[in-house]
Amino acid sequence: MKEKKRNILNIGLPKGSLQESTLHLFRKAGFNINVGSRSYVPTIDDPELSGLLIRAQEMARYVQDGILDMGLTGRDWVLEQNARVKEVCPLLYARGGLRPVRWVVAVPNDSPIQRIRDLQGKRVATELVQFTRRYLKKKGVEAQVEFSWGATEVKAPRLADAIVELTETGSSLRANNLRVVETILESTTVLIANRAAWKDPWKREKIGNVALLLQGALRAEETVGLKMNVGRGDLDRILKVLPAMQNPTISTLSEAGWFSLEVIVDQKIVRDLIPVLKREGASGIVEYPLNKVIP
């Protein structure tokens, strides 16, 4: 009997600064991915997924051309390449945490350049060449935009009048005596799909399932679960101070007049919330981590 051909989805994973945070996110989503020290072909414990490690800067082109069915990259690199792909969903994480990154025009602290229009006739160094050229053209500014192979922060003022550089906190710019003139693009990681793959029913469903699990894992990064026991007399007060994604789950305990409450809350408020709950009468408070949160 002829064996039925297995459906395979080719997925691109970003190599470089996003690699570890991406693999961590996939693990939380339920996919175990192993990468050899010198390998660009990871193993995935889902037989329907075939992975390839690709630099984020190149990902959109390979997805556009159908070499990959889907991939994770920055929206900035999709825009840089003007790639014709389907953006399935944003995934708000970066190499330094759960926040967007910014591409900024930066100049030395003592530079006379104060505004974008002051770049007229100047030399600008960046990795984001095509987007920067389009941005300046839209602003009516003619400047010489050159590709930078790295260490862009050190190129101003001797090798360039200004730079366009990626930043999350701005600390690297400040360390190199640079100041920000303007943010030209805010970017986050996006899950993208090849347009033909998106029209294929099986591939579209598989991509959607992966997206759902990744989004759920990402939501869980910022939330925790709380369980507690509450007496009937304290219940109304506890409910007033207890934030929740939805109404808390309330179960009756075997002991008369007591309830068990379970709720999901923002991790950042837990350290202040638990003492308040304790003062208001909650007992047996348990905090636990979450892997996925699906609304």
Side-chain angles (χ1 to χ4, degrees):
M1 184 175 177
K2 188 176 181 180
E3 185 179 351
K4 184 180 178 181
K5 185 179 178 181
R6 177 182 291 163
N7 287 317
I8 297 292
L9 190 78
N10 293 305
I11 177 172
L13 302 167
K15 184 171 181 63
S17 61
L18 280 177
Q19 181 174 328
E20 287 307 313
S21 52
T22 299
L23 296 182
H24 169 74
L25 183 62
F26 268 85
R27 282 192 292 271
K28 289 204 68 167
F31 300 95
N32 289 314
I33 302 177
N34 294 310
V35 181
S37 59
R38 297 185 180 182
S39 175
Y40 284 79
V41 182
T43 58
I44 307 175
D45 67 347
D46 183 337
E48 295 178 338
L49 293 180
S50 176
L52 195 63
L53 283 173
I54 299 290
R55 288 187 62 82
Q57 294 91 325
E58 302 175 285
M59 187 75 70
R61 175 164 53 91
Y62 291 120
V63 172
Q64 172 189 272
D65 295 345
I67 299 169
L68 298 169
D69 296 310
M70 63 178 284
L72 289 90
T73 186
R75 184 178 284 118
D76 44 3
W77 299 117
V78 177
L79 294 172
E80 169 70 1
Q81 296 179 7
N82 259 335
R84 299 180 74 252
V85 295
K86 166 68 180 178
E87 183 177 314
V88 179
C89 66
L91 296 167
L92 188 55
Y93 75 96
R95 56 188 172 186
L98 304 177
R99 56 174 175 256
V101 295
R102 297 179 298 140
W103 284 91
V104 300
V105 176
V107 298
N109 286 326
D110 59 358
S111 170
I113 297 172
Q114 300 293 331
R115 293 156 294 194
I116 285 291
R117 64 172 176 259
D118 296 336
L119 293 176
Q120 180 69 31
K122 303 297 185 182
R123 177 176 293 166
V124 181
T126 183
E127 286 186 75
L128 201 72
V129 174
Q130 301 305 323
F131 182 88
T132 301
R133 285 174 177 166
R134 294 196 302 270
Y135 185 87
L136 293 179
K137 184 178 180 180
K138 186 178 178 180
K139 295 288 185 177
V141 174
E142 292 186 12
Q144 183 178 346
V145 182
E146 300 178 341
F147 181 76
S148 172
W149 290 96
T152 308
E153 296 98 330
V154 304
K155 294 186 175 177
R158 296 182 65 182
L159 302 177
D161 300 294
I163 65 169
V164 173
E165 180 65 333
L166 186 68
T167 183
E168 290 186 55
T169 64
S171 59
S172 180
L173 296 175
R174 290 190 293 272
N176 285 278
N177 297 312
L178 300 171
R179 58 178 168 82
V180 174
V181 174
E182 185 173 314
T183 296
I184 68 170
L185 176 63
E186 192 171 90
S187 178
T188 187
T189 307
V190 289
L191 179 63
I192 58 174
N194 172 266
R195 291 187 174 186
W198 188 249
K199 292 177 181 178
D200 178 279
W202 182 86
K203 289 185 176 182
R204 181 168 182 161
E205 181 179 8
K206 185 68 176 180
I207 293 169
N209 290 343
V210 173
L212 176 71
L213 294 171
L214 290 176
Q215 288 176 303
L218 201 51
R219 291 188 194 98
E221 285 284 290
E222 296 186 302
T223 54
V224 295
L226 282 181
K227 284 184 176 181
M228 68 204 75
N229 297 328
V230 181
R232 186 184 303 276
D234 301 318
L235 185 59
D236 287 341
R237 291 199 313 276
I238 294 292
L239 291 176
K240 287 179 181 178
V241 301
L242 196 62
M245 290 180 62
Q246 305 289 339
N247 291 328
T249 300
I250 305 176
S251 305
T252 304
L253 296 178
S254 57
E255 185 176 348
W258 281 87
F259 301 90
S260 173
L261 267 65
E262 189 165 359
V263 68
I264 294 173
V265 297
D266 191 324
Q267 187 178 38
K268 290 182 287 190
I269 69 169
V270 168
R271 67 183 183 188
D272 297 321
L273 178 61
I274 288 178
V276 174
L277 293 171
K278 184 66 176 176
R279 285 196 300 269
E280 294 297 332
S283 61
I285 302 171
V286 177
E287 175 187 342
Y288 55 92
L290 303 170
N291 275 334
K292 288 176 279 294
V293 177
I294 311 295

